Amino acid sequence: MLKSLGFLHLAIRALRGQRRVAGFYLLASLGDSLAAALVMWLVKRYLDTVSTSGGSVTLWGAAGAACGLILGAWMFRALCACFRRIWSQKLQNAVLVSQMMLLTRHLLRQSVAFFDRQSRSEILSAVRLDVHTVYVAVECLCTLFSNLVTVVALAATAFWLSPRLFGWVIIILPVLTLPILLSGNRMLRASENQRTAGFQMMDHLMDLFAGLRLVKLFRSETQEVNRFREIAERYFEAQLRFTRHQALAHVSLEAIAGIGLVAVILLGGMEVQSGKLTWPGLLTFLITLMGIFEPARWVTSAYSTIQQNIPGSERLGELLALRPEIEDGPNARALLGQPEIIRLENVGFAYSADAPVIKDVCLEIRAGEVIGVVGPSGAGKSTLLSLLSRFYDPTEGAVYFDGVNLRDYKLATVYDHVSAVLQIPFVFNTTLRENIRYGRPDATDAEVEQAARDANLYDEIQQMPQGYDTVLGAGGQDLSVGQRQRLNIARALLKNAPILLLDEATSALDSISEARVQAALDRLMEGRTVIAVAHRLSTLRGAHRLVVMKQGRVEAIGTHAELLKSSDTYRLLCEHQAMSTEDAKPVPEAAAQPAALA
């Protein structure tokens, strides 16, 4: 019961910003309920008139006038019910949109770590389904309000007709709720199981479609279909259990309602025989009672709907209560201009306490330097970039920009000073122009086109049927990997941030595409502080210094020639890639600008 009240409180909170629409809905509901009571009162007057009339009943007499009033009240009720439904839908839609915006904004404030831990299906379900529980909560609240008001109005009419019979109704009405209340916990458990199985089913489908090529190559279609059938059967079995509990509760409810109605008919007949109630009064009372039972059924039905949606509402509450792991401190300052010195001081990081990824990293990077980061897989190279961009905070030590802890800068200004080109380029499902402009939303068309030229993408865009207005499919499927990467470079060029992070930016490309992307990267790197992670050592020939990482630690720092003498790990990497000393020319120490990565 407490969870049900919490569910309704969710709706009340969501309605705070919708007072105008809620006010119109309340007025329409009150009009509907009062008109229902008025109809019963007019019916009673009509029947009294007919039963006491000595003459014939005519259309133009008192009885006819009463019928006219009944019709008028009935039509007024129908009009109020119409407006109640319209305003109820408006209210629910307004709440749904506002809650979706609230949750999306809240999720986007969360740190990268949150999205790394969560399954994609859970996040999508939160935005699409969990938010819908607020819609359902508002719908249930509206249902409860309108039907409870109707019950109260008709109950007052029934009491006016016969206080003695109404006493029996007071006994019957609470009993009607018992079947639903008793089955509430079982419905809640079934709903939670259904929700869990639903997540598993969506996760399986997303993995299945993402790995479709492997499924076909290994001819595992039958195996995957059987796995999906098992998950789907668990989902629909949980759904069936909920429906079974709900159906049994409603059967019990109808049985109790039927027994109560028969009891009122018998008692009412005795009242008429004893002269304590007229037969028009009994007939009107029975019509009123039938009018009470219907909204009472809706009230109890709303309870089962609440039980079904409680798990989603609890998850929504948990998400909205989350605080970002990475956020501004109370005295955070703005980062102004390019940092002259970036220093990592005894930096350590672990995703979990028992598995450190980076340990005791010390490194100093000067403005305008090109720093290459190399090492075997799992050495912590990409994690180092995540710490420099403050996607994560170190669990030990600190990163300093010009002597100030990176935590002490406003997060938004840090992001303003950092651009990244990653191994897997990301493309939004919108036009090519808007994809490039994402780097700077206020950029002019001329600036967008210049960025495309600098990224070696201009000529290919000109050959597209709609040029810059070409709508790219989901994930940029209409472009080659090289084109997608150059689009990301154009985006970074347009942003023009002083710090550039490159994470295997050319590793997924063939030699021709790599050459075109590398030429675009050369332009992007000019005048910037660059930290580049690469497995292909040949792409780091122009780096001022190379940082060799192994098992989360910095093993050595130096030029190519220096590392061949001092680092066994670097020497082994070079041997594996058949790279001789002559393949990498060290940058003269007096170079004013970093040489381009070849």
Side-chain angles (χ1 to χ4, degrees), residues 1 10 15 195 393 399 451 462 464:
M1 180 62 73
L10 180 69
L15 288 172
R195 176 184 172 80
D393 279 335
V399 178
Q462 295 305 307
M464 295 180 182

Side-chain angles (χ1 to χ4, degrees), residues 41-57:
W41 183 79
L42 291 172
V43 167
K44 170 66 166 53
R45 292 295 301 269
Y46 168 76
L47 293 176
D48 285 341
T49 301
V50 171
S51 64
T52 58
S53 176
S56 59
V57 176

Side-chain angles (χ1 to χ4, degrees), residues 58-75:
T58 64
L59 180 62
W60 306 108
C67 286
L69 290 174
I70 291 171
L71 179 61
W74 189 272
M75 294 305 297

Side-chain angles (χ1 to χ4, degrees), residues 49-129:
T49 301
V50 171
S51 64
T52 58
S53 176
S56 59
V57 176
T58 64
L59 180 62
W60 306 108
C67 286
L69 290 174
I70 291 171
L71 179 61
W74 189 272
M75 294 305 297
F76 177 74
R77 184 188 182 189
L79 189 63
C80 287
C82 173
F83 282 112
R84 176 174 57 82
R85 291 189 185 94
I86 292 172
W87 287 107
S88 173
Q89 191 63 55
K90 283 186 176 182
L91 193 59
Q92 292 166 50
N93 290 347
V95 165
L96 181 60
V97 171
S98 66
Q99 290 297 303
M100 287 184 73
M101 296 303 101
L102 174 66
L103 180 60
T104 303
R105 191 180 302 112
H106 183 74
L107 288 174
L108 289 176
R109 288 183 60 242
Q110 300 306 309
S111 307
V112 171
F114 168 79
F115 293 94
D116 288 344
R117 290 193 302 266
Q118 295 292 321
S119 74
R120 189 177 300 178
S121 66
E122 282 200 56
I123 296 175
L124 292 175
S125 176
V127 178
R128 180 175 169 270
L129 300 179

Side-chain angles (χ1 to χ4, degrees), residues 11-40:
I12 294 171
R13 279 203 318 244
L15 288 172
R16 288 174 182 168
Q18 310 295 333
R19 290 184 175 86
R20 178 176 170 274
V21 180
F24 283 118
Y25 170 78
L26 292 176
L27 288 175
S29 296
L30 288 172
D32 182 14
S33 301
L34 293 175
L38 178 61
V39 167
M40 295 299 103

Side-chain angles (χ1 to χ4, degrees), residues 146 222 257 387 490 539:
S146 59
T222 302
L387 296 176
T539 64

Side-chain angles (χ1 to χ4, degrees), residues 291-314:
I292 291 175
F293 279 163
E294 187 59 31
R297 287 191 192 97
W298 276 106
V299 170
T300 52
S301 177
Y303 180 78
S304 64
T305 303
I306 290 171
Q307 296 303 305
Q308 188 175 19
N309 286 276
I310 281 176
S313 69
E314 290 179 337

